[in-house]
Amino acid sequence: MAYFGTNGVRGKFNELTPDLALKLSQAIGIYLGRGRIIVARDCRLTGETLRCAVVAALASVGCKVIDIGIASSPTAEFMIKKLKADGCIIISASHNPPEWNALKVVDGKGVAISKERGLEIEKLLGSVAAVQWDRIGKIERYDTANAEHIEAIKALIDSKKIKKKPKVILDCGNGTAALIAPKLFRDLGCEVITLNGQMDGTFPGRPSEPTEANVKELIAAVKTKGADAGVAWDGDGDRVIFVDEKGNYVIGDRVYALCVIWKLGKGTKAGSEIVTTVATSKAVEDVARRYGVKTRYTAIGAPYLCEEMMRKPAALGGEEVGGVIWPEFSLAKDGFLTAAKMAEAICEKPLGRWLGEVPAYYNVKRKIDADDKQKKVLIGRVLEHAKKSRLDYFDIDGVRVNLKDAWVIVRPSGTEPYVRIFAEAREGTEAKRLADEYEKIAKGEKKG
Ligand code: MG
């Protein structure tokens, strides 16, 4: 059985048990060269129990453990370079419901471990042997990671720009964002109102994923308090979404498009490129093209983004759900640095006006029931259609067909018995027409 998914090993407590966490962490320790390993966890109720298993496992195979305690994912990943660590294990199920937890693994270069590299770790499971009693690794507590992360972000932000003292409402969602965001934004000179700012592993304030439906309280607060912006993070702080001054929700890939405008607008080096996944809105590619910057696409999942940015430099990386990588800082999606850059931007002009520079697209989502065998058949039909019709397409992760001012992706769900169709166009009617057309093509009801 494979344990690693797209980004780490995820499960409810009866699946990701302390016993499994211990065995996997021993194998991870060996895979990472029995070196210096950072361990962090979020505030979930199962976190401390799993931490004990992870820390014991790493020490038992001879790793030196640097336990930074409760910290966000970008904080743990930022500390890898700073502490010259050989990797980290983050105990966090990100945006999942509170009964879930996960082990996310990142190597010494800051690259998250993909499913494929996870298989290499799983191969070691049968041959794990603890070291001799006098060779077990030291376990050290390190208590200043959050403060160091905040200071490092501040060093990248031009605080003179923030003298206008924008009013921002921060929805920490009872997650680890509470450790970073309120202090960071106050230090930067913003007027801060915090929602759900107490860490609580049951996530009583709102579900951990910052979807529009889940941040209704934030949207209402921005309007009633007359704030310049609202910001909400997921449970481990790598993903961020915004609410503009009029209370409009800014979805993840538009957050990324804003970052592209902000960064590339400050000047681009010749030959600069940006990276994103095949599920990201064309708005991102459109804004990058304005600066003469090409977009490179990867499979869906943070590890693939990281790997691609490691393989060939890029000015920025980002995914459709609001995770943005600033490579001059770390290869982690950092929701705090991303939000701090926005604070700088809104002192130049309101968020709504920045958003006016991002082309509007409409999308339609579909799913078709399909078992593993049918998934291959359906995707195969779409690929054949794209080839026969000489369309511009990528088949990195499912099949994405690129059309003028529109695109459609047909891809198998990694975890559920569905093939998903996602179509995007400048008009809602065109997006629907495309979704209908590709549903028929996938089902074999329409010949290409
Ligand atoms: Mg996350």
Side-chain angles (χ1 to χ4, degrees):
M1 179 195 160
Y3 295 109
F4 273 81
T6 314
N7 194 3
V9 180
R10 210 163 279 239
K12 293 182 185 167
F13 194 59
N14 62 341
E15 296 155 347
L16 179 56
T17 60
D19 184 47
L20 178 61
L22 184 125
K23 287 182 181 140
L24 283 167
S25 299
Q26 285 182 318
I28 292 163
I30 294 167
Y31 180 80
L32 294 174
R34 301 182 197 263
R36 290 158 57 82
I37 310 298
I38 293 172
V39 175
R41 72 171 180 93
D42 69 13
C43 56
R44 285 164 195 268
L45 301 188
T46 55
E48 181 60 13
T49 302
L50 291 172
R51 184 196 68 84
C52 291
V54 168
V55 166
L58 290 170
S60 77
V61 295
C63 295
K64 173 166 181 185
V65 179
I66 308 167
D67 181 355
I68 64 170
I70 299 181
S72 75
S73 294
T75 304
E77 292 177 68
F78 163 73
M79 292 307 290
I80 294 175
K81 208 197 273 174
K82 200 147 189 227
L83 295 174
K84 297 189 177 65
D86 299 291
C88 77
I89 299 181
I90 302 163
I91 304 159
S92 170
S94 182
H95 56 279
N96 291 138
E99 64 274 25
W100 288 75
N101 218 326
L103 305 184
K104 192 162 94 170
V105 186
V106 181
D107 72 15
K109 293 191 172 118
V111 178
I113 300 291
S114 63
K115 196 173 183 172
E116 292 74 18
R117 291 173 79 196
L119 282 175
E120 299 295 310
I121 293 172
E122 287 168 30
K123 277 187 203 151
L124 299 170
L125 279 172
S127 58
V128 168
V131 293
Q132 295 283 340
W133 67 272
D134 55 349
R135 293 283 164 90
I136 60 166
K138 283 207 176 87
I139 300 170
E140 181 187 288
R141 289 291 305 219
Y142 190 91
D143 294 325
T144 54
N146 292 310
E148 289 176 46
H149 188 200
I150 290 172
E151 290 309 312
I153 292 175
K154 279 160 59 182
L156 281 187
I157 301 298
D158 186 352
S159 58
K160 284 198 264 3
K161 283 218 176 86
I162 304 185
K163 60 180 180 292
K164 281 172 97 177
K165 228 176 168 11
K167 187 195 272 190
V168 293
I169 307 187
L170 310 178
D171 182 348
C172 299
N174 304 112
T176 47
L179 291 170
I180 302 276
K183 173 161 174 39
L184 172 65
F185 280 80
R186 274 190 196 105
D187 285 4
L188 286 173
C190 299
E191 183 185 338
V192 172
I193 298 169
T194 303
L195 302 179
N196 305 312
Q198 299 295 320
M199 282 196 296
D200 184 327
T202 64
F203 303 127
R206 64 161 166 90
S208 198
E209 186 165 18
T211 61
E212 184 168 4
N214 290 345
V215 300
K216 286 274 181 275
E217 188 192 0
L218 174 67
I219 292 170
V222 168
K223 290 184 195 163
T224 56
K225 311 258 184 216
D228 295 295
V231 188
W233 291 267
D234 73 337
D236 66 334
D238 55 357
R239 281 167 51 176
V240 62
I241 62 86
F242 301 143
V243 174
D244 79 6
E245 70 282 4
K246 296 192 188 83
N248 297 307
Y249 176 82
V250 186
I251 201 166
D253 35 25
R254 291 177 74 75
V255 168
Y256 184 34
L258 281 174
C259 295
V260 170
I261 292 175
W262 181 244
K263 185 160 190 194
L264 301 185
K266 305 277 155 226
T268 52
K269 282 193 209 125
S272 280
E273 295 180 346
I274 61 157
V275 176
T276 195
T277 78
V278 291
T280 298
S281 171
K282 194 157 184 294
V284 169
E285 186 184 316
D286 291 350
V287 295
R289 196 182 302 115
R290 277 183 213 152
Y291 301 96
V293 169
K294 202 183 131 200
T295 301
R296 301 204 304 266
Y297 286 92
T298 72
I300 298 163
Y304 303 116
L305 267 185
C306 280
E307 284 174 3
E308 179 60 23
M309 296 186 74
M310 196 67 186
R311 189 185 68 79
K312 196 172 167 210
L316 213 55
E319 57 177 13
E320 68 288 356
V321 286
V324 181
I325 300 172
W326 304 79
E328 65 275 31
F329 193 69
S330 79
L331 284 181
K333 296 177 292 171
D334 193 319
F336 308 113
L337 178 57
T338 303
K341 296 273 185 186
M342 183 221 53
E344 231 180 43
I346 62 172
C347 292
E348 249 176 48
K349 63 185 173 198
L351 187 53
R353 274 182 51 209
W354 282 109
L355 286 162
E357 296 179 23
V358 180
Y361 278 91
Y362 297 86
N363 63 61
V364 172
K365 288 177 197 167
R366 293 277 161 78
K367 56 184 185 187
I368 308 174
D369 293 326
D371 61 24
D372 285 349
K373 215 171 125 190
Q374 288 165 328
K375 282 178 186 175
K376 286 204 179 94
V377 175
L378 269 65
I379 303 295
R381 286 193 190 116
V382 177
L383 184 60
E384 199 189 304
H385 166 78
K387 282 183 181 164
K388 259 193 183 165
S389 312
R390 295 173 182 273
L391 298 171
D392 175 25
Y393 70 91
F394 313 126
D395 56 350
I396 313 165
D397 192 341
V399 181
R400 170 169 167 149
V401 175
N402 301 302
L403 304 154
K404 189 177 177 325
D405 290 332
W407 58 278
V408 55
I409 188 168
V410 183
R411 64 183 292 270
S413 163
T415 47
E416 292 175 292
Y418 301 120
V419 161
R420 295 183 191 280
I421 299 178
F422 183 100
E424 192 188 69
R426 298 304 297 268
E427 302 289 339
T429 47
E430 176 61 9
K432 184 182 173 298
R433 192 198 64 74
L434 270 175
D436 289 343
E437 182 187 351
Y438 276 81
E439 184 173 346
K440 282 192 183 134
I441 291 169
K443 287 178 173 168
E445 293 165 6
K446 182 189 165 183
K447 290 283 165 239

